[in-house]
Amino acid sequence: MEPSFTTKPFNPSSRLEVRRLHLRRQLAVSCQDDASKYWKHAGKGHKIPSNFFSPHHPKLSNKRQNVPLADVDHEVWAGNISIGTPPQQFLIDFDTGSPDLWVTSSSCPIEACEYKKSYKHSISSTSLEVPDHVQVDSYGDGSFIVGSTYIDLVSIGGVTANMTFTSAVYMYQFGDVAADGLLGLSRPLQDQQNFVVTAFAQAAIKDQVYGIELASNGSEINIGGTNEDLYRGSLKYHNVTQSEHFDTYWKIGNAGVYVDNQAVASQLETIIDSGTTPVVLGSEDEVQLVYQLVAESSFNDTMGFYTFPCNDTPSVGFSRGGNEWTIDKEL
């Protein structure tokens, strides 16, 4: 069976629900489960080691594995991962709003790649290239990357799994981002499995769970569990919904917004996205209702978001499933 590609063009009308969109896969191909088919039909004659898709870790990890995260320039939450044998280290943006993993390629010729660590497939003994496949990952803000697809060992906080990823040979609007690539942890789909799902399927972790602590200092991501030292009480669970345009997001309905203890909007569809810096609300009318209650706020047509004076920060709170959270003004 030949690899099949599906095209999903970006739909501008989908901005109605979410002001900033994240990674949307334009060309998709499923190759991790049976990569040997690609070599067979491409006529390459490559031989895949018989143990390549077996776990490359000594034993099942029953304990969560944490990776420290840094708030880089108030833009991305970045931490270290490694790829290949021997391991090649990368500083990666952990993004719960997109599905794919990509890192800069050593073959990237443009200036944007010059100051980033790059993946060298030729020095990794466990690297396999998916032939005749160009991956294009694009963002709703116009940024994108283009690259070749590889399968190699990916390690995060002591958890290792064989994973498909993109080695970017070209990128647009990523040159000023202080990270070597991006690792998506969004909702898994049939042909888009994030690292946690992949590691669980390969018995590298006991639980198909990850937890993230985001703060000015001491941020971390835990693979295979949560850090109970970082929260009080029990975890709150919410049903995740799905829609046509946002099928990979962790999307939760029945949410509300409060400004200075005044209810502004309810029954909202919201997403949990560590890769989005603005607060995500809903329709433009609902966003306007919020900022009508914020003194001296105004909409910047060029940048596409609202601003307000820092010396008059309002009290803003959110609710989901009957639980309310108020944002600390000092943040």
Side-chain angles (χ1 to χ4, degrees):
M1 181 178 179
E2 294 290 339
S4 60
F5 297 87
T6 57
T7 302
K8 291 185 179 179
F10 171 65
N11 181 4
S13 66
S14 60
R15 289 178 182 268
L16 179 64
E17 288 190 39
V18 178
R19 303 261 329 164
R20 179 184 173 192
L21 298 182
H22 255 277
L23 199 62
R24 303 293 299 167
R25 173 172 289 192
Q26 303 296 308
L27 298 176
V29 60
S30 177
C31 60
Q32 183 160 347
D33 292 335
D34 196 2
S36 60
K37 293 180 181 179
Y38 293 97
W39 275 263
K40 177 181 178 181
H41 290 284
K44 299 295 183 179
H46 294 281
K47 183 178 181 180
I48 300 178
S50 59
N51 65 340
F52 185 82
F53 291 101
S54 61
H56 282 70
H57 45 83
K59 61 181 180 179
L60 175 70
S61 177
N62 292 315
K63 185 179 180 182
R64 60 176 173 80
Q65 304 294 312
N66 72 297
V67 176
L69 299 179
D71 178 4
V72 182
D73 299 329
H74 301 291
E75 290 184 341
V76 298
W77 301 99
N80 291 313
I81 73 168
S82 67
I83 302 177
T85 308
Q88 301 175 46
Q89 302 293 325
F90 301 95
L91 183 67
I92 294 295
D93 173 14
F94 286 85
D95 180 19
T96 64
S98 62
D100 300 315
L101 166 62
W102 65 266
V103 293
T104 307
S105 169
S106 60
S107 301
C108 182
I110 63 175
E111 185 178 358
C113 301
E114 184 176 349
Y115 300 103
K116 299 180 183 295
K117 292 182 180 178
S118 59
Y119 174 68
K120 302 176 179 63
H121 69 91
S122 60
I123 68 173
S124 175
S125 61
T126 49
S127 174
L128 288 175
E129 182 177 7
V130 178
D132 304 324
H133 178 222
V134 176
Q135 179 74 29
V136 181
D137 290 329
S138 66
Y139 289 75
D141 61 2
S143 58
F144 64 90
I145 63 98
V146 180
S148 302
T149 302
Y150 291 87
I151 304 172
D152 208 340
L153 295 177
V154 178
S155 296
I156 304 176
V159 177
T160 301
N162 297 305
M163 190 168 181
T164 304
F165 64 96
T166 302
S167 183
V169 297
Y170 183 83
M171 60 183 64
Y172 178 65
Q173 294 186 357
F174 281 104
D176 59 348
V177 177
D180 306 314
L182 181 148
L183 187 138
L185 291 168
S186 66
R187 182 178 182 176
L189 299 177
Q190 184 174 0
D191 65 341
Q192 295 172 312
Q193 302 297 317
N194 65 43
F195 177 81
V196 174
V197 174
T198 302
F200 178 78
Q202 297 176 17
I205 53 177
K206 181 180 179 181
D207 297 315
Q208 196 170 229
V209 175
Y210 68 88
I212 303 180
E213 163 77 0
L214 301 179
S216 299
N217 297 289
S219 300
E220 64 178 51
I221 180 170
N222 292 274
I223 305 297
T226 60
N227 186 348
E228 296 180 357
D229 295 333
L230 298 177
Y231 62 89
R232 297 186 299 272
S234 58
L235 295 175
K236 306 296 183 182
Y237 292 88
H238 303 275
N239 293 327
V240 177
T241 59
Q242 187 171 349
S243 61
E244 178 182 358
H245 299 300
F246 307 106
D247 51 2
T248 62
Y249 283 117
W250 299 107
K251 186 161 71 73
I252 301 173
N254 194 28
V257 181
Y258 299 83
V259 177
D260 290 332
N261 296 319
Q262 181 176 343
V264 178
S266 62
Q267 301 299 315
L268 297 178
E269 297 287 339
T270 60
I271 62 172
I272 300 176
D273 183 5
S274 64
T276 296
T277 49
V279 174
V280 178
L281 291 175
S283 70
E284 292 186 13
D285 290 340
E286 290 163 336
V287 174
Q288 290 174 0
L289 287 175
V290 171
Y291 283 98
Q292 284 176 4
L293 299 177
V294 179
E296 299 184 53
S297 64
S298 61
F299 184 74
N300 188 313
D301 290 315
T302 302
M303 301 300 294
F305 52 73
Y306 284 83
T307 61
F308 59 87
C310 293
N311 60 1
D312 192 17
T313 303
S315 174
V316 178
F318 297 89
S319 66
R320 283 194 181 103
N323 303 114
E324 297 182 10
W325 294 269
T326 300
I327 299 178
D328 188 342
K329 292 184 178 183
E330 298 302 320
L331 297 177

